[in-house]
Amino acid sequence: MMRIAFISDIHGNANALDAVLKDLEFKEVDKVFVLGDLCFRGPEPKRSLELVRSLNTEVIKGNADEWVVRGIHVGEVPDSAIEIMSNEREWTLSQLDQNDINYLSNLPTELMLEFEKVKIHAFHATPKNLFEVVQPSESDEVLQEKMLDSEADIYIYSHIHKPYIRYLDGKCIINTGSVGLPFDGLDKSSYALVEIYEESFQTTIVRVNYDIKAAINKYYESDYPNSEQMIKVLLNAKV
């Protein structure tokens, strides 16, 4: 049996990532993959990125990583949010160095994996787009069109910060949820665990407690722009 974890959407919340990595160690996970959005919109972008890189594993790019590299374009967020989010991006850049930016810039956008004949296709939002939103409530037709574009058994993505597992036409679709910024009303980190037994598999959404007060204090200790709004999101686990 092999245990494989998929984590994503850390968003600079290194306290949450600490707790998740401790949980992965406790569960004796064999392999971990990271599906993007590593450092933007949180108080500890540098430490979050360092923790991810210390895993020495495969990491893919998320939309927030792309934003750090090249900025936020008009139409990618609501007009009312672009100024403050651009300020947040500038603050994040100030915490990173050129090596960090190069690392984010060069990340791939998908993973094609195979373990014990179980094929896994992992990506951030959809296989062809870092920004597209596919919610848990989408119709079978939408999921079929936007997600199932390969010969995988399991499709794993992140981006929406709302974990779920769903089956469609014999395929398993998993959303990891978010390590650092959950949006489903439960203020616990989330990741996906896949356990493979020869040619069969079992999937689980894991929720992990972390020290939210410590994460909030990191916002207060920094000069992070928009900190009050981000603290509300942490506390409510909703946007």
Side-chain angles (χ1 to χ4, degrees):
M1 189 265 286
M2 188 172 191
R3 289 192 181 96
I4 308 161
F6 294 84
I7 69 174
S8 189
D9 293 85
I10 298 150
H11 288 286
N13 187 345
N15 286 90
L17 183 55
D18 285 334
V20 166
L21 295 180
K22 185 176 180 180
D23 192 69
L24 297 180
E25 184 178 357
F26 175 76
K27 288 185 169 62
E28 298 182 341
V29 167
D30 298 293
K31 187 75 175 173
V32 58
F33 297 97
V34 187
L35 305 189
D37 283 8
L38 310 181
C39 54
F40 181 44
R41 305 214 82 186
E44 292 190 277
K46 183 74 170 182
R47 190 162 82 86
S48 297
L49 192 54
E50 288 173 347
L51 284 170
V52 168
R53 297 185 72 171
S54 73
L55 297 174
N56 293 315
T57 191
E58 292 179 83
V59 181
I60 63 175
K61 183 186 292 184
N63 64 294
D65 306 310
E66 183 75 355
W67 280 338
V68 171
V69 171
R70 53 86 161 155
I72 302 169
H73 293 174
V74 172
E76 291 176 342
V77 299
D79 291 345
S80 59
I82 193 165
E83 181 178 357
I84 186 59
M85 288 185 67
S86 294
N87 290 340
E88 291 176 77
R89 182 250 179 183
E90 290 298 322
W91 182 90
T92 301
L93 276 178
S94 75
Q95 307 299 303
L96 304 176
D97 58 34
Q98 190 58 49
N99 181 57
D100 298 325
I101 304 305
N102 293 342
Y103 174 81
L104 295 174
S105 179
N106 292 324
L107 289 174
T109 58
E110 62 182 346
L111 297 172
M112 300 296 298
L113 310 167
E114 185 170 354
F115 301 96
E116 301 288 348
K117 298 184 180 179
V118 176
K119 295 179 180 179
I120 301 174
H121 188 184
F123 41 89
H124 183 71
T126 67
K128 297 177 181 178
N129 191 310
L130 292 177
F131 297 88
E132 195 162 10
V133 174
V134 178
Q135 297 285 9
S137 58
E138 300 287 3
S139 68
D140 287 354
E141 291 75 18
V142 168
L143 286 177
Q144 181 74 48
E145 175 190 353
K146 295 184 180 296
M147 312 295 272
L148 308 186
D149 74 338
S150 60
E151 294 300 317
D153 303 294
I154 303 173
Y155 298 80
I156 301 184
Y157 75 112
S158 49
H159 188 51
I160 60 173
H161 300 213
K162 298 174 183 177
Y164 73 91
I165 299 173
R166 186 165 157 186
Y167 287 85
L168 175 62
D169 294 337
K171 309 292 186 179
C172 180
I173 301 170
I174 305 173
N175 188 280
T176 64
S178 173
V179 168
L181 211 58
F183 288 172
D184 65 341
L186 182 60
D187 59 353
K188 301 177 189 296
S189 295
S190 174
Y191 71 90
L193 184 66
V194 178
E195 297 172 279
I196 297 177
Y197 310 80
E198 296 183 352
E199 295 182 26
S200 65
F201 61 84
Q202 175 176 309
T203 61
T204 310
I205 298 296
V206 182
R207 304 308 292 255
V208 180
N209 285 314
Y210 74 94
D211 191 341
I212 294 178
K213 288 184 179 179
I216 289 171
N217 285 338
K218 292 295 182 183
Y219 277 110
Y220 285 130
E221 291 166 5
S222 73
D223 56 350
Y224 189 88
N226 203 29
S227 59
E228 291 299 327
Q229 180 59 37
M230 297 309 298
I231 288 168
K232 287 180 182 178
V233 174
L234 277 187
L235 289 172
N236 297 322
K238 290 182 180 179
V239 288

